[in-house]
Amino acid sequence: MSMNYVGSISILDRGDGPAQAIIDKNKRSVAQRLADETKDELEKVMHRVEDIYVSYEQSTQDMFLTHGANVEYIEDIKELEEILTDELKKKKYEQKVTVFIVGFENMSNQRLRLIQQVNEFFMDATKPAEEEPLFSPSPDINIEEIGHSIEETLDSADRLTDRLGELNSQMVDWLTNFAINKASTKLKE
């Protein structure tokens, strides 16, 4: 923060600039620590989700392998209908137990997009704060202009005071003359 002593002064040049800088640094430190903690928690959650997903996939595969089942992933119900109506394809699957999972790829893609959106949200939320001051810098004030404006205001106030004094004495004179005229009119009657 620069201080300009020639004709202008900043409101922040009160001598507390170093204290303001320390307060600003502490606020940034707290914000960064909070962002880091949030990011760490997000990473823990993402690892748990990934572990659960991998565990589920592994247990599902193990179950099918131990029972000698065959797993087929198909796009949609029309493809399943085509397999069941085609005699050649049907015989192929009659040889052993086959589990058809319909729409798995679509669901997996939807889950992936959802997890990516959640991840993106948390990554945006944990970005460090931009380097901008937490207190707003005050504009520079030109003392010469303010001094000139104050002098003009005081001169105007002085002229108005003189004019009010003149009006007051004129009103007192008028009221005095009015009272004298009224009293003399009553005496004549």
Side-chain angles (χ1 to χ4, degrees):
M1 175 178 359
S2 67
M3 292 188 234
N4 185 356
Y5 293 106
V6 183
S8 68
I9 187 169
S10 173
I11 290 177
L12 291 179
D13 292 340
R14 303 177 299 223
D16 65 349
Q20 289 291 339
I22 290 171
I23 290 170
D24 186 47
K25 184 177 178 184
N26 285 341
K27 286 181 181 178
R28 287 183 192 284
S29 174
V30 168
Q32 184 62 46
R33 185 173 43 242
L34 181 63
D36 291 343
E37 289 172 358
T38 304
K39 186 176 181 180
D40 290 343
E41 287 297 316
L42 173 65
E43 286 176 2
K44 288 177 186 177
V45 168
M46 293 303 285
H47 285 298
R48 282 189 298 227
V49 167
E50 186 176 334
D51 290 345
I52 290 169
Y53 182 72
V54 167
S55 175
Y56 171 76
E57 287 292 319
Q58 186 64 40
S59 67
T60 305
Q61 290 297 333
D62 289 346
M63 182 184 71
F64 289 133
L65 292 175
T66 58
H67 290 72
N70 186 24
V71 179
E72 289 287 329
Y73 298 99
I74 55 177
E75 193 76 29
D76 56 13
I77 198 76
K78 288 181 183 177
E79 191 175 338
L80 177 62
E81 185 180 343
E82 182 182 309
I83 291 171
L84 294 175
T85 55
D86 187 348
E87 289 298 321
L88 289 174
K89 290 180 182 178
K90 187 176 177 183
K91 284 196 182 233
K92 173 185 168 188
Y93 294 114
E94 285 178 350
Q95 304 291 326
K96 82 191 232 192
V97 176
T98 304
V99 177
F100 291 100
I101 300 179
V102 180
F104 178 77
E105 188 175 329
N106 291 337
M107 290 304 294
S108 295
N109 287 336
Q110 289 176 1
R111 286 184 194 140
L112 177 63
R113 280 194 298 272
L114 180 62
I115 290 173
Q116 286 172 337
Q117 289 172 351
V118 169
N119 185 38
E120 184 178 319
F121 168 78
F122 281 113
M123 294 307 284
D124 287 344
T126 59
K127 283 184 182 173
E130 303 227 355
E131 291 296 321
E132 51 185 65
L134 296 177
F135 57 90
S136 60
S138 62
D140 286 338
I141 299 172
N142 189 334
I143 291 185
E144 291 174 4
E145 286 181 24
I146 291 175
H148 182 67
S149 175
I150 290 173
E151 286 175 9
E152 286 179 353
T153 304
L154 290 174
D155 288 344
S156 176
D158 189 40
R159 287 193 304 273
L160 288 173
T161 303
D162 290 343
R163 180 67 180 136
L164 282 174
E166 290 172 13
L167 287 173
N168 185 36
S169 84
Q170 288 175 358
M171 288 175 68
V172 168
D173 290 344
W174 184 83
L175 287 173
T176 305
N177 287 336
F178 180 75
I180 291 173
N181 287 339
K182 192 170 187 181
S184 66
T185 308
K186 279 190 176 183
L187 287 177
K188 288 183 186 178
E189 293 177 5

